[in-house]
Amino acid sequence: MKAAVIRGIGNINVEEYPEPGCGPDEVKIKVAYCGICGTDPENLEGRFGLIPPEMLEKPRVLGHEASGTIVEVGSNIKQYKVGQRVACDFRSTCGICYYCRNKMQNFCQNSLHASPSFAEYATYPESAIYALPDDISLEIGAMLEPVSVAVHATDLANIYPGSSIAISGAGPIGLLCMEIAIRSGATRVLVSEPIAEKRALARKLGADVVVDPFNEDLQKIGKELTDGRGFDSVIEASGSVQAARDTIYLADNCGTILWAAVYPKDCEIAVPAFLMYAKELTIRSTFVSPYCFPRALNLLSKLELKPLITHIMPLDDIREAFEIHKQGKSVKILIKP
Ligand SMILES: [Zn+2]
Ligand SMILES: [Zn+2]
């Protein structure tokens, strides 16, 4: 089959790659779409902190936001059949380790990654597969994983009816968090984003105020929107270290600050300790999306997802797709193998 294979740092090419088999407990799909995640370019460039250095030496394939059609089911699979349209979680958890049994599935000690999906075919354990409702297209289905990440983030951000929220970064996760926050009752919504096209999209999808943090006074505008107080919740979804620090100054007394992006492995962020005391702030972070896929699936028909899909590109053009991603103007790029 064809797959986008990375050999060495920054070098990605579409080539022949061994097609995955289908074990007795697995489901094999023909990949319809797979989104480029913000971590994928970092991974391609060898900067993603979760990848051990020795892995970077080996040929590898990325892609973890897939939808597709089932082409084969293992002998033990009862629930799914060939031809069914599905979306996928890229991780499966064991259900028996300490973390799985103690409501921290995202830290499963035996978690397995599905075969990667910037490829024509991929196999998944049954537990990682979600059947798409008839009214959900395969394009929208490929948004299931990022929606699940936004569900987990908004779960942790202490959003409640009538509350105020600031979000930094209008990429897929920032915009999805915004859409879910608004539907959860957040009423004063600010989005900070340096790229004009993305600010316009945030505005169209419901932000009350959008700010260019490089050319406008974010703190001042934030105070104006909240009667001088600051925000009940602040979500950082840009991955910028500076933006992460700025979130601390955007929060109101007792505010919840959520760092929902991936940051460089060796970076440190200075936290104003006195402010933590004087404002009774909470800073939290998120790691993937435990137990969130079923609710994300319910949300697929309720969120505005189409405007977030700015590009659909064939697998053969994946190198160009990564270039477009790097320029920062795209929101979600789907690769179509
Ligand atoms: Zn991802
Ligand atoms: Zn486990």
Side-chain angles (χ1 to χ4, degrees):
M1 67 167 183
K2 279 199 299 185
V5 184
I6 298 174
R7 294 180 188 277
I9 287 175
N11 184 24
I12 186 167
N13 284 300
V14 175
E15 31 179 280
E16 270 305 308
Y17 196 75
E19 193 169 312
C22 184
D25 298 309
E26 289 180 323
V27 173
K28 180 171 173 177
I29 69 163
K30 168 94 180 68
V31 178
Y33 299 95
C34 182
I36 296 184
C37 170
T39 60
D40 290 326
E42 293 296 301
N43 204 331
L44 173 65
E45 300 297 334
R47 287 191 299 259
F48 185 43
L50 288 180
I51 307 295
E54 62 273 16
M55 282 280 289
L56 300 175
E57 312 292 319
K58 298 176 186 153
R60 55 208 178 95
V61 180
L62 305 178
H64 61 262
E65 301 179 359
S67 66
T69 305
I70 296 177
V71 291
E72 193 178 340
V73 295
S75 52
N76 294 336
I77 304 295
K78 305 273 183 285
Q79 219 194 118
Y80 297 99
K81 55 182 192 298
V82 170
Q84 222 172 346
R85 298 170 329 114
V86 297
C88 315
D89 184 355
F90 66 98
R91 294 170 101 236
S92 65
T93 51
C94 73
I96 54 173
C97 74
Y98 171 83
Y99 291 107
C100 279
R101 295 164 82 161
N102 203 18
K103 60 184 188 197
M104 290 176 274
Q105 179 191 65
N106 43 339
F107 299 101
C108 173
Q109 290 164 303
N110 310 304
S111 80
L112 292 174
H113 274 228
S115 61
S117 308
F118 290 144
E120 289 180 287
Y121 296 95
T123 53
Y124 291 84
E126 185 177 20
S127 63
I129 292 283
Y130 295 85
L132 290 174
D134 289 342
D135 62 340
I136 298 296
S137 67
L138 285 162
E139 289 95 326
I140 297 298
M143 297 296 285
L144 181 65
E145 195 273 346
V147 170
S148 79
V149 170
V151 167
H152 186 48
T154 43
D155 276 351
L156 298 182
N158 196 27
I159 293 154
Y160 48 90
S163 65
S164 57
I165 183 168
I167 294 171
S168 81
I173 300 303
L175 291 172
L176 289 169
C177 285
M178 183 194 78
E179 289 199 37
I180 296 170
I182 290 170
R183 285 156 180 79
S184 305
T187 45
R188 294 187 190 185
V189 180
L190 175 146
V191 172
S192 166
E193 164 62 52
I195 292 176
E197 289 88 341
K198 290 182 177 173
R199 285 199 302 278
L201 183 56
R203 191 86 179 84
K204 192 174 139 211
L205 294 174
D208 296 303
V209 171
V210 292
V211 181
D212 174 356
F214 296 164
N215 294 300
E216 292 180 281
D217 189 338
L218 172 60
Q219 299 297 334
K220 182 165 168 274
I221 296 168
K223 286 274 192 290
E224 279 165 12
L225 184 63
T226 55
D227 306 322
R229 289 191 300 268
F231 293 87
D232 300 311
S233 302
V234 186
I235 295 180
E236 204 303 293
S238 75
S240 151
V241 172
Q242 181 60 46
R245 188 153 190 276
D246 289 346
T247 55
I248 302 168
Y249 296 93
L250 282 168
D252 191 6
N253 295 330
C254 292
T256 300
I257 294 150
L258 186 78
W259 290 345
V262 181
Y263 302 94
K265 199 170 185 182
D266 298 320
C267 91
E268 293 188 359
I269 298 170
V271 171
F274 179 77
L275 216 56
M276 293 301 297
Y277 153 73
K279 295 184 76 173
E280 205 174 303
L281 300 174
T282 301
I283 300 180
R284 299 204 55 156
S285 63
T286 68
F287 180 63
V288 297
S289 52
Y291 313 104
C292 292
F293 274 75
R295 284 184 294 141
L297 191 65
N298 292 341
L299 280 166
L300 290 183
S301 61
K302 302 294 178 190
L303 300 176
E304 290 218 52
L305 298 174
K306 247 197 170 138
L308 271 55
I309 302 171
T310 50
H311 298 72
I312 296 179
M313 300 177 70
L315 182 65
D316 284 329
D317 293 348
I318 194 162
R319 200 199 282 245
E320 192 193 338
F322 272 76
E323 276 306 313
I324 291 172
H325 188 281
K326 205 189 275 181
Q327 289 157 18
K329 289 188 180 173
S330 60
V331 180
K332 181 55 76 183
I333 302 175
L334 298 185
I335 297 298
K336 186 171 170 39

